[in-house]
């Protein structure tokens, strides 16, 4: 085995040297490709392939990466890959001349080239370009992995995404679809009268969610600052200021674990609408997700990892208490105290902290027994007040709030509230969070005095909604890991 590895490394070393020697020869001949400034293109490969009837026999110019080459004496075939597709090109020595044709024969797979020629079909009916001119635009000094050892290893694909995009066309399609998803969501919200805003990524307080923040230091102010974990408190300030519908679609940062579902840096849609509540947010969430699927996929029926998911509205609605009763067999309508809740959890085999409250235990049992069962889109609503510090209380259900979460394929996709707009109640909730922080909770929220001041000026009844964009892209592209939908996911450095 060691001999095979050594031989492979030696072969790769020889290839690298050959390519550098070729570049040196080009430079010595005054033909350094890296001095070329531009190459005017008339078409992309995909445009030619899709419009052959209009372009047959016409002169075109394309540019891209040389990904295959088959030399047959005085004529050759090759394939060029650009941002849209790959297209075959046909080259003859009689058309190019001896010198240019010889230069083409010296080009390597991976080189960037520009070609001009006319569009035709080969005898095998493949749409191609008959080349009349070819120019080397950039020299590739590294061999593409597809030829030598492939690029199937996920770790290598994530670390060298540029190679992944070159040799795995389906990966490129995923990220094109991601862009279309983001664009449609923005367009949809804009049509509803929402305005897109930008709020601080660096702040003196990490608020708006229960999460561990990243901490940095501002030298001029000599103070610690935090990368935002959520834009919520800033967006609510804008509601106070008179904007009725606002949203932000951007990066959030949480200093927490990594998995196929979690990356420390992720994209979130967060929106707020005045004069409405969480019931309206349910309808809005259904429409955003189902209409996004319809727009980018042409259907609301999607398949994720072999499971058929029906995204068309309406979705199932189930209270948190009813979900626990259905999937864990525990009726929290009959459980009135913290100690009774803890005993119920223990009877289910859940290792519980003796200080957990009834509401916290309810959520823990849900996560353990119900969450993974929610494959089809489901709203789980009415959450305990202890775990919902920014949500309005339910007037007819003491201890609960008007909050819901979205679950699809056994994962949380979103979170929404009837927003708490009582400044006195909000201060009391912050005080409880401060107590939790004092007891060692790194995820408990900080007290934001300026936000409390804003609430004291008056915030109208408001509904708020957050949707995890990366998970939505995973669902719509049938991607197993969140790293498959992030161009540059967070990776542990190699030793």
């Amino acid at each position: 085995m060691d001999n095979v590895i050594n031989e492979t490394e030696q072969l790769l070393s020889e290839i690298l040297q050959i390519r550098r020697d070729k570049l040196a020869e080009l430079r010595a001949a005054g033909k350094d490709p890296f001095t070329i400034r531009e190459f005017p293109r008339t078409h992309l490969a995909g445009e030619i392939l899709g419009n052959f009837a209009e372009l047959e026999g016409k002169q075109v110019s394309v540019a891209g990466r040389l990904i295959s080459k088959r030399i047959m004496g005085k004529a050759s075939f090759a394939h060029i890959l650009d941002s849209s597709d790959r297209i075959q090109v046909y080259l003859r020595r009689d058309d190019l001349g001896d010198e240019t044709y010889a230069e083409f024969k010296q080009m390597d797979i991976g080189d960037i080239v520009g070609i001009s020629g006319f569009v035709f079909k080969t005898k095998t009916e493949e749409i191609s370009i008959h080349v009349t001119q070819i120019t080397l635009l950039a020299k590739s000094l590294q061999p593409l992995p597809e030829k030598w050892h492939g690029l199937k290893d996920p770790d290598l694909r994530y670390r060298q995404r540029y190679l992944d995009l070159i040799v795995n066309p389906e990966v490129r399609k995923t990220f094109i679809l991601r862009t279309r998803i983001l664009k449609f969501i923005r367009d949809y919200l804009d049509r509803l009268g929402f305005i897109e805003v930008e709020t601080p990524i660096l702040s003196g307080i990490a608020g708006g969610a229960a999460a561990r923040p990243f901490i940095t230091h501002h030298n001029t102010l000599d103070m610690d600052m935090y990368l935002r974990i959520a834009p919520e408190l800033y967006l609510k300030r804008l509601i106070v200021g008179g904007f009725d519908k606002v949203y932000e679609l951007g990066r959030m940062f949480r200093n927490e674990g990594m998995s196929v579902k979690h990356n420390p840096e992720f994209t979130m849609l967060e929106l707020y609408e005045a004069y409405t509540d969480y019931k309206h947010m349910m309808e809005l969430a259904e429409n955003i997700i189902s209409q996004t699927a319809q727009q980018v996929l042409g259907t609301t029926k999607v398949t994720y990892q072999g499971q058929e998911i029906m995204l068309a509205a309406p979705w199932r609605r189930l209270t948190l208490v009813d979900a626990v009763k259905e999937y864990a067999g525990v009726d929290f309508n009959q459980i009135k105290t913290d100690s009774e809740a803890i005993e119920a959890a223990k009877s289910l085999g859940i290792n519980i902290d003796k200080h957990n409250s009834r509401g916290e235990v309810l959520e823990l049992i849900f996560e353990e027994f119900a969450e993974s069962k929610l494959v089809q889109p489901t709203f789980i609503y009415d959450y305990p007040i202890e775990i919902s510090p920014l949500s309005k209380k339910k007037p007819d259900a003491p201890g609960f709030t008007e909050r819901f979460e979205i679950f699809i394929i056994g994962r949380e996709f979103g979170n929404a509230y009837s927003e708490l707009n009582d400044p006195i109640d909000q201060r009391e909730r912050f005080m409880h969070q401060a107590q939790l922080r004092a007891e060692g909770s790194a995820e408990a929220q900080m007290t934001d005095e300026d936000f409390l001041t804003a609430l004291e000026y008056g915030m109208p009844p408001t509904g708020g909604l957050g949707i995890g964009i990366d998970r939505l892209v995973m669902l719509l592209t049938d991607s197993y890991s969140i790293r498959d939908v992030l161009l540059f996911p967070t990776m542990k450095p190699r030793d």
Side-chain angles (χ1 to χ4, degrees):
M1 185 66 177
D2 289 342
N3 290 337
V4 173
I5 293 174
N6 291 335
E7 290 175 3
T8 302
E9 290 178 348
Q10 182 178 354
L11 177 60
L12 181 59
S13 178
E14 292 173 358
I15 292 169
L16 295 176
Q17 188 58 54
I18 290 171
R19 292 193 175 209
R20 281 159 175 75
D21 291 343
K22 288 182 179 181
L23 177 60
E25 291 170 5
L26 288 168
R27 286 174 166 166
K31 297 181 178 180
D32 185 349
F34 295 114
T35 63
I36 296 176
R37 297 294 189 271
E38 63 177 354
F39 182 86
R41 296 184 294 174
T42 63
H43 296 82
L44 293 175
E47 294 172 338
I48 297 171
L49 296 173
N51 297 279
F52 174 74
E54 298 176 14
L55 295 172
E56 184 179 11
K58 293 185 178 179
Q59 194 76 11
V60 296
S61 294
V62 301
R65 191 178 297 276
L66 185 65
I67 58 170
S68 75
K69 189 171 70 167
R70 183 160 51 98
I71 297 175
M72 302 178 296
K74 298 179 181 181
S76 299
F77 284 98
H79 280 90
I80 305 297
L81 174 70
D82 66 15
S83 61
S84 66
D85 210 328
R86 55 183 280 170
I87 190 166
Q88 180 172 268
V89 297
Y90 173 65
L91 310 95
R92 291 198 315 169
R93 187 178 67 182
D94 291 347
D95 298 321
L96 298 175
D98 291 344
E99 182 179 350
T100 301
Y101 190 70
E103 289 173 353
F104 162 72
K105 291 170 67 175
Q106 287 298 305
M107 292 179 188
D108 292 307
I109 301 301
D111 287 352
I112 308 295
V113 299
I115 66 160
S116 297
F118 59 87
V119 179
F120 78 110
K121 272 187 180 178
T122 64
K123 293 179 180 179
T124 59
E125 294 293 301
E126 182 169 355
I127 298 171
S128 307
I129 300 173
H130 189 127
V131 179
T132 56
Q133 181 183 352
I134 182 167
T135 304
L136 180 62
L137 303 176
K139 184 67 186 168
S140 174
L141 301 181
Q142 293 271 357
L144 292 182
E146 184 177 30
K147 183 173 181 179
W148 302 107
H149 54 75
L151 196 66
K152 302 302 180 185
D153 174 37
D155 185 78
L156 185 59
R157 287 179 49 230
Y158 302 144
R159 291 183 188 278
Q160 295 182 296
R161 182 68 83 185
Y162 43 91
L163 293 181
D164 193 23
L165 292 168
I166 293 170
V167 303
N168 293 321
E170 69 280 2
V171 172
R172 194 181 317 187
K173 292 177 182 177
T174 292
F175 289 103
I176 291 172
L177 194 63
R178 180 187 176 105
T179 296
R180 291 180 58 201
I181 290 168
L182 293 174
K183 184 179 186 305
F184 175 78
I185 290 173
R186 284 189 164 100
D187 291 345
Y188 180 76
L189 292 174
D190 292 345
R191 289 196 299 271
L192 292 178
F194 284 83
I195 63 169
E196 183 174 10
V197 298
E198 294 177 303
T199 63
I201 291 176
L202 274 178
S203 178
I205 292 176
R212 183 191 297 268
F214 285 95
I215 305 173
T216 187
H217 189 80
H218 193 292
N219 292 333
T220 300
L221 297 177
D222 191 24
M223 62 177 286
D224 284 344
M225 300 191 77
Y226 304 89
L227 291 177
R228 68 177 176 193
I229 56 176
E232 178 166 344
L233 302 188
Y234 283 106
L235 293 175
K236 287 182 182 177
R237 285 171 168 90
L238 298 181
I239 297 293
V240 172
F243 287 116
D244 285 347
K245 296 181 178 182
V246 295
Y247 75 92
E248 184 163 14
L249 212 169
R251 289 291 204 185
M252 309 299 150
F253 308 86
R254 298 184 183 179
N255 195 359
E256 298 171 343
M258 296 171 60
S259 70
V260 296
K261 297 183 291 183
H262 298 94
N263 191 73
E265 181 180 1
F266 61 97
T267 301
M268 176 77 73
L269 165 68
E270 196 148 325
L271 62 86
Y272 293 85
E273 179 176 351
Y275 307 107
T276 190
D277 65 359
Y278 77 141
K279 292 180 181 178
H280 174 67
M281 291 296 109
M282 286 187 187
E283 296 174 4
L284 184 56
E286 282 176 333
N287 289 333
I288 289 173
I289 293 177
S290 63
Q291 292 192 34
T292 298
Q294 183 65 49
Q295 176 68 23
V296 301
L297 301 178
T299 180
T300 56
K301 183 190 299 183
V302 302
T303 300
Y304 183 79
Q305 304 295 296
Q307 294 179 304
E308 192 174 84
I309 310 299
M310 312 298 289
L311 295 177
W315 296 350
R316 187 186 187 199
R317 288 157 166 75
L318 194 66
T319 68
L320 185 64
V321 168
D322 286 342
V324 166
K325 183 178 180 181
E326 179 175 334
Y327 293 104
V330 177
D331 186 357
F332 266 74
N333 289 315
Q334 306 301 319
I335 294 175
K336 305 300 183 184
T337 66
D338 295 346
S339 59
E340 288 175 347
I342 290 171
E343 287 305 313
K346 288 181 178 178
S347 70
L348 295 172
I350 298 177
N351 187 18
I352 208 81
D353 189 303
K354 64 180 180 180
H355 299 298
N356 282 129
S357 67
R358 173 177 176 269
E360 291 168 335
V361 173
L362 174 62
E363 183 187 39
L364 288 171
I365 294 176
F366 168 80
E367 290 175 349
E368 184 71 24
F369 286 89
E371 186 170 321
S372 63
K373 309 292 195 311
L374 304 176
V375 175
Q376 298 302 322
T378 305
F379 291 116
I380 300 296
Y381 65 99
D382 293 355
Y383 276 67
I385 191 171
E386 305 98 303
I387 58 173
S388 310
L390 299 168
S391 183
K392 185 171 289 191
K393 294 176 182 176
K394 279 189 70 67
D396 56 348
F400 288 87
T401 65
E402 295 186 348
R403 171 188 174 190
F404 71 79
E405 289 185 313
I406 303 165
F407 290 91
I408 312 174
I409 58 173
R411 299 173 183 174
E412 180 201 342
F413 272 66
N415 192 16
Y417 314 143
S418 294
E419 302 297 334
L420 178 59
N421 61 343
D422 179 343
I424 297 173
D425 189 356
Q426 183 65 81
R427 180 174 291 278
E428 292 174 352
R429 308 267 192 104
F430 277 155
M431 290 174 63
H432 175 67
Q433 292 291 304
Q435 181 181 346
L436 294 177
R437 288 189 68 83
E439 293 172 354
S441 173
E443 296 185 352
Q445 297 195 38
M446 303 176 182
T447 300
D448 188 330
E449 289 291 345
D450 182 72
F451 174 66
L452 290 171
T453 299
L455 286 186
E456 289 178 354
Y457 279 98
M459 185 175 84
T462 299
L465 168 67
I467 295 176
I469 295 299
D470 304 311
R471 291 188 181 181
L472 178 58
V473 177
M474 288 171 65
L475 175 65
L476 299 184
T477 60
D478 194 14
S479 298
Y480 173 73
S481 171
I482 192 171
R483 293 181 177 185
D484 293 327
V485 300
L486 298 174
L487 280 168
F488 301 102
T490 304
M491 303 291 290
K492 182 178 179 180
R494 287 174 166 171
D495 296 333

